[in-house]
Amino acid sequence: MISEKILRQFIAVAESLNFGRAAERLHIAQPALSYAVGKLERHLGVRLLHRGRGGVSLTPAGHTFLAEGERLLQQIGHAVEQTRAAAHGKAGKLTIGFLGTCGYGLMPRLVEHFRGACPDVELQLFEMSTLEQLAAFADQRIDLGLLRPPFFGPQDDLETHLLTTDELVAALPAGHPLSGRKRITVSDLRDARFVVFGRDHVPAAYASLMALCLGSGFHPTIIQECAQVSSMLSVVAAGTGVGIVPGDLLALRHQRVRFVPLSATHPAARVEVSLAWRKDSDHAGARNFVASARACLEANAG
């Protein structure tokens, strides 16, 4: 096996074409350097240097080995830098699950802020419900997750940090009689047909809707359950029904959907977003993302 040390020794000789000067540069004795290069040639089975009265010169094989040796040393140097950067969370890969509703406002802000601090970290982002993220944590398929408590699933192995609290808003078809209002009450929707996040797929969102409606004195008429925010908005846009969604979607401009804030004092009218990671995680990049997220939101709050 050819070591980094012998590569550097050969390159020093090849660049100076003088064993004496190369030995001085490397701070070793000239006979030791000559022996090391000779041993390298015997290992390769080729002559790398011409040695004669006129001095030292490279053979064609020597020219090739010099170029490849320099390239290999650059690769080794890059590997060392990347390894050290990864150990400090400045390189490597970070896999994050996030709720679809966070993809329109919160998630882009957090990612932009993190990229400013750690531009060399490769981010892999996957839209997942809270339940899907909990399963992905259990299988170690994600390093971080943006999800909503309460958790209807296992979370004993997770650490969480509350990022933000969001007010729910009504998602109405553009032509709905209430779509032009600045704010409406949940009671205004008592006769509406609701498109909801499915109780089996997004139980926390389903529970919030039921609590809001029952707290306003009516049981909602549910015509369709959806798994993703995109499918819910498609149904609303078609004029089939109305939805109740997190206020993060106010950042979304949809031609056929209007988002109207709710006047509601019920606790279910506000939903939380938490950042979660495994308690046993030693991923420095994940720790950096958590710190970056906190700094981002603190800056926006200020």
Side-chain angles (χ1 to χ4, degrees):
M1 183 176 179
I2 298 174
S3 67
E4 180 181 352
K5 178 181 178 181
I6 188 58
L7 281 177
R8 295 190 183 279
Q9 290 174 337
F10 170 75
I11 289 172
V13 175
E15 289 178 343
S16 63
L17 295 178
N18 184 287
F19 276 94
R21 288 196 295 271
E24 290 179 3
R25 170 177 159 184
L26 295 169
H27 305 290
I28 61 175
Q30 181 175 332
L33 179 59
S34 298
Y35 175 79
V37 174
K39 184 178 180 180
L40 173 63
E41 290 177 314
R42 291 191 295 274
H43 175 75
L44 295 174
V46 299
R47 185 173 291 279
L48 300 174
L49 300 169
H50 288 303
R51 301 165 178 82
R53 292 182 179 179
V56 177
S57 62
L58 287 168
T59 67
H63 280 289
T64 298
F65 192 75
L66 173 61
E68 293 299 318
E70 290 175 332
R71 183 178 62 83
L72 184 56
L73 284 182
Q74 289 177 349
Q75 290 177 339
I76 292 173
H78 178 72
V80 170
E81 290 177 1
Q82 289 297 103
T83 300
R84 289 173 176 166
H88 292 90
K90 298 295 185 178
K93 182 174 69 175
L94 189 60
T95 304
I96 305 175
F98 69 96
L99 296 167
T101 51
C102 294
Y104 298 97
L106 178 61
M107 191 64 182
R109 294 202 309 272
L110 299 184
V111 169
E112 181 181 19
H113 192 274
F114 180 73
R115 287 198 186 282
C118 302
D120 295 327
V121 176
E122 176 190 351
L123 294 180
Q124 293 189 331
L125 310 176
F126 297 97
E127 181 179 345
M128 298 178 173
S129 69
T130 294
L131 286 180
E132 289 172 334
Q133 289 184 52
L134 294 176
F137 274 122
D139 296 338
Q140 299 189 25
R141 288 182 284 118
I142 59 174
D143 303 305
L144 290 167
L146 261 72
L147 33 67
R148 296 190 194 279
F151 302 137
F152 292 85
Q155 69 274 355
D156 292 343
D157 295 335
L158 298 181
E159 294 279 0
T160 62
H161 173 70
L162 177 63
L163 290 179
T164 184
T165 302
D166 202 5
E167 292 188 359
L168 293 177
V169 300
L172 307 175
H176 193 280
L178 300 175
S179 63
R181 299 267 194 95
K182 291 184 178 180
R183 188 173 289 271
I184 62 175
T185 67
V186 178
S187 296
D188 290 331
L189 300 173
R190 67 171 55 250
D191 296 325
R193 300 191 302 170
F194 283 84
V195 184
V196 303
F197 292 112
R199 75 179 81 188
D200 294 331
H201 195 74
V202 194
Y206 186 89
S208 293
L209 171 74
M210 295 302 297
L212 273 177
C213 294
L214 294 175
S216 296
F218 70 97
H219 193 285
T221 301
I222 297 174
I223 59 167
Q224 186 168 338
E225 294 187 2
C226 299
Q228 303 288 345
V229 64
S230 56
S231 56
M232 173 186 281
L233 295 183
S234 295
V235 177
V236 172
T240 305
V242 305
I244 300 292
V245 298
D248 212 22
L249 289 180
L250 288 171
L252 175 65
R253 296 293 179 263
H254 196 296
Q255 185 176 2
R256 295 180 177 273
V257 178
R258 298 292 181 266
F259 299 103
V260 182
L262 293 173
S263 297
T265 58
H266 195 285
R270 298 175 67 83
V271 291
E272 297 177 342
V273 178
S274 292
L275 190 58
W277 61 97
R278 290 181 59 88
K279 290 180 180 178
D280 60 0
S281 173
D282 60 355
H283 198 307
R287 293 196 298 271
N288 287 347
F289 192 94
V290 173
S292 173
R294 289 173 172 170
C296 175
L297 296 177
E298 288 173 0
N300 289 339

